[in-house]
Amino acid sequence: MATVLRSQSSRLLSSLKRSNYLRNVLSRGYADDVKMDFTFSAANKVFYANQSVKQVDVPGFNCAFGILPNHVPTITILKPGVVTVYEEDGSAKKIFVSSGSVTVNEDSSVQILAEEAHPLDSFDKNNATEALHQAEKQLASASSEADKAEAQIAVEAGQAILAALNA
């Protein structure tokens, strides 16, 4: 008897979860009528604090993707690359991130927490090229696994900076 009740309870919970999921999916509308509350901070600076923006493009670990209001709730890791923020006035700001995370919530709020972030226009192409060469030298001469991992991260960040500057 107890097994039957547990089985019925389990089916009922599954059914309720599905109906809540479907209700949430079916209630999603066009992004035009919803504001997106955006917060973006790094250890070195707060770029946005609960500001309304139109869209945010991020370099996700598996792929780059854009976030609009009513985006499906998501949590993912950022890889080195450019976060592009499209503001309400139509302007776009590009900010390079070394790594971090992005969270998209059901209420259309978005938070980015970056390890380090700087406006893309603050980078000098010659300095970035030189930094990449130094990182590649460190990777080639690294002897411990920790030194290799650290140098590899520097190489990947340098490559991403140069790719963004050349785009």
Side-chain angles (χ1 to χ4, degrees), residues 146-162:
D147 290 342
K148 287 178 187 176
E150 192 172 306
Q152 182 63 42
I153 291 169
V155 167
E156 289 173 9
Q159 290 170 338
I161 291 169
L162 283 176

PDB file of all heavy atoms in Angstrom, residues 146-162:
ATOM      1  N   ALA A 146      51.007  23.359 -12.749  1.00  0.00           N
ATOM      2  CA  ALA A 146      50.386  24.620 -12.344  1.00  0.00           C
ATOM      3  C   ALA A 146      50.877  25.771 -13.227  1.00  0.00           C
ATOM      4  O   ALA A 146      50.083  26.611 -13.665  1.00  0.00           O
ATOM      5  CB  ALA A 146      50.677  24.915 -10.881  1.00  0.00           C
ATOM      6  N   ASP A 147      52.193  25.797 -13.509  1.00  0.00           N
ATOM      7  CA  ASP A 147      52.744  26.843 -14.373  1.00  0.00           C
ATOM      8  C   ASP A 147      52.204  26.719 -15.796  1.00  0.00           C
ATOM      9  O   ASP A 147      51.907  27.725 -16.453  1.00  0.00           O
ATOM     10  CB  ASP A 147      54.271  26.780 -14.396  1.00  0.00           C
ATOM     11  CG  ASP A 147      54.896  27.207 -13.076  1.00  0.00           C
ATOM     12  OD1 ASP A 147      54.195  27.863 -12.267  1.00  0.00           O
ATOM     13  OD2 ASP A 147      56.083  26.875 -12.851  1.00  0.00           O
ATOM     14  N   LYS A 148      52.066  25.482 -16.274  1.00  0.00           N
ATOM     15  CA  LYS A 148      51.509  25.267 -17.617  1.00  0.00           C
ATOM     16  C   LYS A 148      50.058  25.750 -17.688  1.00  0.00           C
ATOM     17  O   LYS A 148      49.664  26.404 -18.648  1.00  0.00           O
ATOM     18  CB  LYS A 148      51.577  23.784 -17.992  1.00  0.00           C
ATOM     19  CG  LYS A 148      52.964  23.295 -18.305  1.00  0.00           C
ATOM     20  CD  LYS A 148      52.954  21.814 -18.624  1.00  0.00           C
ATOM     21  CE  LYS A 148      54.373  21.297 -18.778  1.00  0.00           C
ATOM     22  NZ  LYS A 148      54.416  19.840 -19.001  1.00  0.00           N
ATOM     23  N   ALA A 149      49.271  25.431 -16.670  1.00  0.00           N
ATOM     24  CA  ALA A 149      47.864  25.838 -16.654  1.00  0.00           C
ATOM     25  C   ALA A 149      47.737  27.356 -16.615  1.00  0.00           C
ATOM     26  O   ALA A 149      46.930  27.947 -17.342  1.00  0.00           O
ATOM     27  CB  ALA A 149      47.150  25.217 -15.461  1.00  0.00           C
ATOM     28  N   GLU A 150      48.549  27.991 -15.783  1.00  0.00           N
ATOM     29  CA  GLU A 150      48.518  29.451 -15.683  1.00  0.00           C
ATOM     30  C   GLU A 150      48.920  30.102 -17.001  1.00  0.00           C
ATOM     31  O   GLU A 150      48.283  31.049 -17.465  1.00  0.00           O
ATOM     32  CB  GLU A 150      49.452  29.904 -14.558  1.00  0.00           C
ATOM     33  CG  GLU A 150      49.299  31.353 -14.176  1.00  0.00           C
ATOM     34  CD  GLU A 150      50.108  31.698 -12.945  1.00  0.00           C
ATOM     35  OE1 GLU A 150      49.946  31.034 -11.909  1.00  0.00           O
ATOM     36  OE2 GLU A 150      50.911  32.645 -13.038  1.00  0.00           O
ATOM     37  N   ALA A 151      49.965  29.586 -17.627  1.00  0.00           N
ATOM     38  CA  ALA A 151      50.419  30.130 -18.911  1.00  0.00           C
ATOM     39  C   ALA A 151      49.380  29.881 -20.007  1.00  0.00           C
ATOM     40  O   ALA A 151      49.146  30.743 -20.860  1.00  0.00           O
ATOM     41  CB  ALA A 151      51.765  29.525 -19.295  1.00  0.00           C
ATOM     42  N   GLN A 152      48.724  28.721 -19.979  1.00  0.00           N
ATOM     43  CA  GLN A 152      47.699  28.413 -20.978  1.00  0.00           C
ATOM     44  C   GLN A 152      46.525  29.388 -20.876  1.00  0.00           C
ATOM     45  O   GLN A 152      45.992  29.836 -21.885  1.00  0.00           O
ATOM     46  CB  GLN A 152      47.205  26.969 -20.818  1.00  0.00           C
ATOM     47  CG  GLN A 152      46.180  26.566 -21.862  1.00  0.00           C
ATOM     48  CD  GLN A 152      46.736  26.592 -23.282  1.00  0.00           C
ATOM     49  OE1 GLN A 152      47.855  26.157 -23.534  1.00  0.00           O
ATOM     50  NE2 GLN A 152      45.958  27.114 -24.208  1.00  0.00           N
ATOM     51  N   ILE A 153      46.143  29.729 -19.655  1.00  0.00           N
ATOM     52  CA  ILE A 153      45.071  30.703 -19.449  1.00  0.00           C
ATOM     53  C   ILE A 153      45.478  32.056 -20.019  1.00  0.00           C
ATOM     54  O   ILE A 153      44.695  32.726 -20.698  1.00  0.00           O
ATOM     55  CB  ILE A 153      44.711  30.807 -17.950  1.00  0.00           C
ATOM     56  CG1 ILE A 153      44.041  29.520 -17.493  1.00  0.00           C
ATOM     57  CG2 ILE A 153      43.826  32.019 -17.681  1.00  0.00           C
ATOM     58  CD1 ILE A 153      43.891  29.400 -15.986  1.00  0.00           C
ATOM     59  N   ALA A 154      46.714  32.463 -19.780  1.00  0.00           N
ATOM     60  CA  ALA A 154      47.207  33.741 -20.305  1.00  0.00           C
ATOM     61  C   ALA A 154      47.228  33.729 -21.832  1.00  0.00           C
ATOM     62  O   ALA A 154      46.887  34.725 -22.480  1.00  0.00           O
ATOM     63  CB  ALA A 154      48.596  34.035 -19.745  1.00  0.00           C
ATOM     64  N   VAL A 155      47.605  32.610 -22.435  1.00  0.00           N
ATOM     65  CA  VAL A 155      47.617  32.490 -23.897  1.00  0.00           C
ATOM     66  C   VAL A 155      46.198  32.610 -24.439  1.00  0.00           C
ATOM     67  O   VAL A 155      45.945  33.356 -25.396  1.00  0.00           O
ATOM     68  CB  VAL A 155      48.270  31.154 -24.345  1.00  0.00           C
ATOM     69  CG1 VAL A 155      48.003  30.877 -25.822  1.00  0.00           C
ATOM     70  CG2 VAL A 155      49.766  31.180 -24.069  1.00  0.00           C
ATOM     71  N   GLU A 156      45.261  31.888 -23.839  1.00  0.00           N
ATOM     72  CA  GLU A 156      43.872  31.932 -24.312  1.00  0.00           C
ATOM     73  C   GLU A 156      43.279  33.337 -24.183  1.00  0.00           C
ATOM     74  O   GLU A 156      42.583  33.806 -25.088  1.00  0.00           O
ATOM     75  CB  GLU A 156      43.018  30.917 -23.551  1.00  0.00           C
ATOM     76  CG  GLU A 156      43.344  29.487 -23.922  1.00  0.00           C
ATOM     77  CD  GLU A 156      42.635  28.455 -23.051  1.00  0.00           C
ATOM     78  OE1 GLU A 156      41.749  28.849 -22.250  1.00  0.00           O
ATOM     79  OE2 GLU A 156      42.968  27.283 -23.164  1.00  0.00           O
ATOM     80  N   ALA A 157      43.566  34.014 -23.075  1.00  0.00           N
ATOM     81  CA  ALA A 157      43.064  35.381 -22.898  1.00  0.00           C
ATOM     82  C   ALA A 157      43.715  36.320 -23.919  1.00  0.00           C
ATOM     83  O   ALA A 157      43.021  37.145 -24.525  1.00  0.00           O
ATOM     84  CB  ALA A 157      43.344  35.876 -21.482  1.00  0.00           C
ATOM     85  N   GLY A 158      45.008  36.166 -24.151  1.00  0.00           N
ATOM     86  CA  GLY A 158      45.692  37.001 -25.146  1.00  0.00           C
ATOM     87  C   GLY A 158      45.153  36.786 -26.543  1.00  0.00           C
ATOM     88  O   GLY A 158      44.947  37.740 -27.309  1.00  0.00           O
ATOM     89  N   GLN A 159      44.900  35.543 -26.899  1.00  0.00           N
ATOM     90  CA  GLN A 159      44.329  35.239 -28.215  1.00  0.00           C
ATOM     91  C   GLN A 159      42.941  35.854 -28.353  1.00  0.00           C
ATOM     92  O   GLN A 159      42.591  36.398 -29.408  1.00  0.00           O
ATOM     93  CB  GLN A 159      44.274  33.727 -28.432  1.00  0.00           C
ATOM     94  CG  GLN A 159      45.625  33.085 -28.615  1.00  0.00           C
ATOM     95  CD  GLN A 159      45.582  31.564 -28.581  1.00  0.00           C
ATOM     96  OE1 GLN A 159      44.657  30.964 -28.031  1.00  0.00           O
ATOM     97  NE2 GLN A 159      46.596  30.928 -29.166  1.00  0.00           N
ATOM     98  N   ALA A 160      42.147  35.776 -27.288  1.00  0.00           N
ATOM     99  CA  ALA A 160      40.788  36.323 -27.343  1.00  0.00           C
ATOM    100  C   ALA A 160      40.814  37.851 -27.444  1.00  0.00           C
ATOM    101  O   ALA A 160      40.011  38.436 -28.173  1.00  0.00           O
ATOM    102  CB  ALA A 160      40.006  35.889 -26.103  1.00  0.00           C
ATOM    103  N   ILE A 161      41.735  38.494 -26.746  1.00  0.00           N
ATOM    104  CA  ILE A 161      41.862  39.953 -26.846  1.00  0.00           C
ATOM    105  C   ILE A 161      42.226  40.355 -28.277  1.00  0.00           C
ATOM    106  O   ILE A 161      41.598  41.249 -28.856  1.00  0.00           O
ATOM    107  CB  ILE A 161      42.905  40.492 -25.850  1.00  0.00           C
ATOM    108  CG1 ILE A 161      42.395  40.352 -24.412  1.00  0.00           C
ATOM    109  CG2 ILE A 161      43.240  41.963 -26.152  1.00  0.00           C
ATOM    110  CD1 ILE A 161      43.438  40.616 -23.352  1.00  0.00           C
ATOM    111  N   LEU A 162      43.213  39.694 -28.851  1.00  0.00           N
ATOM    112  CA  LEU A 162      43.617  40.026 -30.217  1.00  0.00           C
ATOM    113  C   LEU A 162      42.499  39.745 -31.224  1.00  0.00           C
ATOM    114  O   LEU A 162      42.290  40.533 -32.141  1.00  0.00           O
ATOM    115  CB  LEU A 162      44.888  39.276 -30.609  1.00  0.00           C
ATOM    116  CG  LEU A 162      46.175  39.862 -30.005  1.00  0.00           C
ATOM    117  CD1 LEU A 162      47.379  38.990 -30.366  1.00  0.00           C
ATOM    118  CD2 LEU A 162      46.397  41.280 -30.490  1.00  0.00           C
TER     119      LEU A 162
END
